[in-house]
Amino acid sequence: MEPAGGRRMIAAFPPVADERSRTLVLGSMPGVASLTKRQYYGHPRNHFWPIVYGVFDGGAPSPDYEERLAFAAAHGIALWDVLCECEREGSLDSAIRSPVANDFNAFLELYPGITRIFFNGSAAAQLFTRHVDLAAPHQTRLTLEGLPSTSPAHTISYERKLAAWQAIRQPE
């Protein structure tokens, strides 16, 4: 049943992470195009994949989604969203209602190599701050940092986004 006001309950994707994961990139909740394709950052104008490939000098992103995921994983990047479900009409973060956060404490127990969390946009950072209560051990081991959204709705240039996203490279 659809909630009042035309919003509908939507569910996010499971995390993409493995034992190599050192950096977690968090979005807020996948947009309609991503949900339809069942792919993280599936909107054709989203800058996420070109930026990840650009940061790691990987050339143009593979057209194959599984290869893109493997490229991110090979560079220690895990993907997830702050929310596991919410009500939302359309794709805008401002339309999110009834947010339910993912269980980050359990996730971080499974992937203890993750020491850095980057938020893909201010909405992801704000939702995390409001809805996630990290256990003390995780608070002390993690660095949290916001980055400009890769969404096509965030209109700063690709070049400025790419420059800011250099932060996801592991320190040498």
Side-chain angles (χ1 to χ4, degrees):
M1 185 158 121
E2 193 166 291
R7 294 185 310 267
R8 62 185 186 89
M9 190 61 85
I10 55 174
F13 308 134
V16 175
D18 65 23
E19 68 283 348
R20 299 170 293 176
S21 300
R22 300 293 174 261
T23 299
L24 175 61
V25 174
L26 290 175
S28 53
M29 174 63 81
V32 172
S34 295
L35 290 167
T36 300
K37 290 175 85 173
R38 302 286 310 151
Q39 296 180 1
Y40 279 100
Y41 307 105
H43 192 288
R45 290 192 331 263
N46 192 297
H47 286 145
F48 180 78
W49 292 111
I51 284 173
V52 168
Y53 274 70
V55 164
F56 296 106
D57 302 320
S62 172
D64 181 78
Y65 179 62
E66 293 302 319
E67 288 180 16
R68 292 192 307 261
L69 293 177
F71 182 87
H75 290 91
I77 306 295
L79 304 175
W80 208 14
D81 288 298
V82 175
L83 302 180
C84 62
E85 65 181 25
C86 68
E87 293 176 13
R88 185 183 66 206
E89 181 179 6
S91 294
L92 295 178
D93 289 329
S94 60
I96 290 173
R97 302 291 180 268
S98 306
V100 178
N102 277 306
D103 184 348
F104 286 93
N105 290 306
F107 175 81
L108 292 165
E109 289 296 323
L110 289 173
Y111 301 102
I114 292 175
T115 58
R116 304 176 320 146
I117 296 178
F118 289 93
F119 300 103
N120 188 345
S122 60
Q126 291 167 0
L127 287 164
F128 189 89
T129 299
R130 284 189 207 128
H131 300 286
V132 175
D133 184 20
L134 286 178
H138 303 310
Q139 290 177 20
T140 58
R141 83 165 207 252
L142 291 170
T143 301
L144 310 176
E145 184 175 338
L147 294 171
S149 174
T150 60
S151 166
H154 189 62
T155 58
I156 69 168
S157 71
Y158 169 82
E159 291 74 21
R160 284 183 56 201
K161 290 178 185 181
L162 179 61
W165 276 77
Q166 294 298 318
I168 67 171
R169 293 181 73 90
Q170 281 291 333
E172 300 290 323

